[in-house]
């Protein structure tokens, strides 16, 4: 007999405002406990140094978190000029110091323009990338210098929000795989100086709507046992796949594809991934190829199928 899972069977997405000082997994486990959820994951790691948007995925939403991981993301980062650290942020040891250039608004805008577009970026040695089967940050902490390869990234937006003599706050929108600390490091070098990040906050992922919920809000509602209100904070699964085109499966073929079988399409659809619908109800993602649709990720079956 299958073991009955503890907790509530929830499906949906919570846009958590992760505080500084805890890992993404620690934040996830706290929220999962507050919601008393059977199953939960998250849609993109933020380390303890960073705050901001951490999508917590409940139940069936965990199947579609990869679309959030692959999406462009926006950050606000504050950099300080004059020193580079080994972690590229304020928590690291200073590697070297350099003079701080005099910059006005036009200078900062020119700097931002120089880092727009597709480019190669060298990841920081304190990253989660694996080198020879080991995390780069583990090697760095042992005093080794891991050999990392540059990565292709795209910065689609970079603007200065405010600045003073030694620091600036920037807004960045970038592709998956971009290291914001490394961008700060490279900006410092571009200016003939040095720089490290002193604050980092993620403010947007893909097409998810705005509006985050702090841990304190979730905790207060849990203390009040206001589970109905907690559940009202959840976004639908479809927010994970909002960039995919919609394909409504004919009623007579729903049963076949819901059980994992590919089906023939009567209409002409371009090849690619689609969000699959039974009338207005989302039930998974499929790939269209050669006039057929192949199910890739399906929500669990209910009593109607």
């Amino acid at each position: 007999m299958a073991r009955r899972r503890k907790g509530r069977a929830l499906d949906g997405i919570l846009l958590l405002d992760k505080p500084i000082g805890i890992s993404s997994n620690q934040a996830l486990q706290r929220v999962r406990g507050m919601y008393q959820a059977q199953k939960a994951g998250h849609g993109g790691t933020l380390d303890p140094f960073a705050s901001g948007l951490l999508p917590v995925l409940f139940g069936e939403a965990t199947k579609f978190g990869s679309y959030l991981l692959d999406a462009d993301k926006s950050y606000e980062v504050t950099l300080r000029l004059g020193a580079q650290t080994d972690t590229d942020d304020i928590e690291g040891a200073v590697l070297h110091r350099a003079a701080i250039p005099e910059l006005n608004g036009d200078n900062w805008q020119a700097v931002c323009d120089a880092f727009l577009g597709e480019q190669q970026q060298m990841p920081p040695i304190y990253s989660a990338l694996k080198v020879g089967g080991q995390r780069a940050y583990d090697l760095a902490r042992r005093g080794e210098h891991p050999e990392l390869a540059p990565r292709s990234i795209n910065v689609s937006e970079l603007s200065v929000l405010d600045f003073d003599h030694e620091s600036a706050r920037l807004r960045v929108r970038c592709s998956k795989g971009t290291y914001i600390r490394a961008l700060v490091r490279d900006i410092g070098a571009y200016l003939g100086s040095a720089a490290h990040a002193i604050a980092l906050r993620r403010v947007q992922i893909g097409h998810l709507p705005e509006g985050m919920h702090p841990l304190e809000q979730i905790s207060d509602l849990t203390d009040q046992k206001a589970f109905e209100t907690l559940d009202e904070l959840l976004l639908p699964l479809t927010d994970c796949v909002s960039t995919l085109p919609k394909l409504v499966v004919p009623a007579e073929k729903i049963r076949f594809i819901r059980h994992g079988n590919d089906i023939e399409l009567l209409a002409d659809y371009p090849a690619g991934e689609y969000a699959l619908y039974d009338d207005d109800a989302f039930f998974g993602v499929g790939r269209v190829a050669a006039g057929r649709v192949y199910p890739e990720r399906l929500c669990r079956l209910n009593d109607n199928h």
Side-chain angles (χ1 to χ4, degrees), residues 78-91:
T78 303
L79 65 81
R80 179 174 292 159
L81 293 166
Q84 182 182 347
T85 69
D86 57 359
T87 59
D88 297 320
D89 61 38
I90 197 171
E91 297 178 346

Side-chain angles (χ1 to χ4, degrees), residues 63-123:
K63 296 178 178 177
F64 307 101
S66 61
Y67 297 96
L68 301 182
L69 295 174
D70 292 340
D72 284 0
K73 299 171 180 66
S74 295
Y75 300 86
E76 290 182 6
V77 59
T78 303
L79 65 81
R80 179 174 292 159
L81 293 166
Q84 182 182 347
T85 69
D86 57 359
T87 59
D88 297 320
D89 61 38
I90 197 171
E91 297 178 346
V94 174
L95 294 176
H96 74 272
R97 299 187 184 276
I100 299 176
E102 293 292 335
L103 299 169
N104 59 29
D106 290 339
N107 298 143
W108 274 114
Q109 189 56 55
V111 171
C112 292
D113 291 346
F115 282 87
L116 287 174
E118 295 183 1
Q119 56 200 278
Q120 296 290 303
Q121 183 187 66
M122 182 62 71

Side-chain angles (χ1 to χ4, degrees), residues 253-302:
K253 297 190 176 183
I254 285 291
R255 191 174 186 83
F256 294 100
I257 195 167
R258 292 294 279 117
H259 284 82
N261 302 300
D262 58 283
I263 58 171
E264 182 181 11
L265 292 171
L266 299 180
D268 185 22
Y269 286 87
E273 280 193 314
Y274 287 79
L276 304 179
Y277 282 79
D278 176 4
D279 199 4
D280 291 330
F282 170 74
F283 68 88
V285 169
R287 181 171 294 279
V288 169
R292 304 187 71 82
V293 57
Y294 298 84
E296 292 187 333
R297 297 180 181 87
L298 297 178
C299 300
R300 65 176 174 269
L301 292 167
N302 57 34

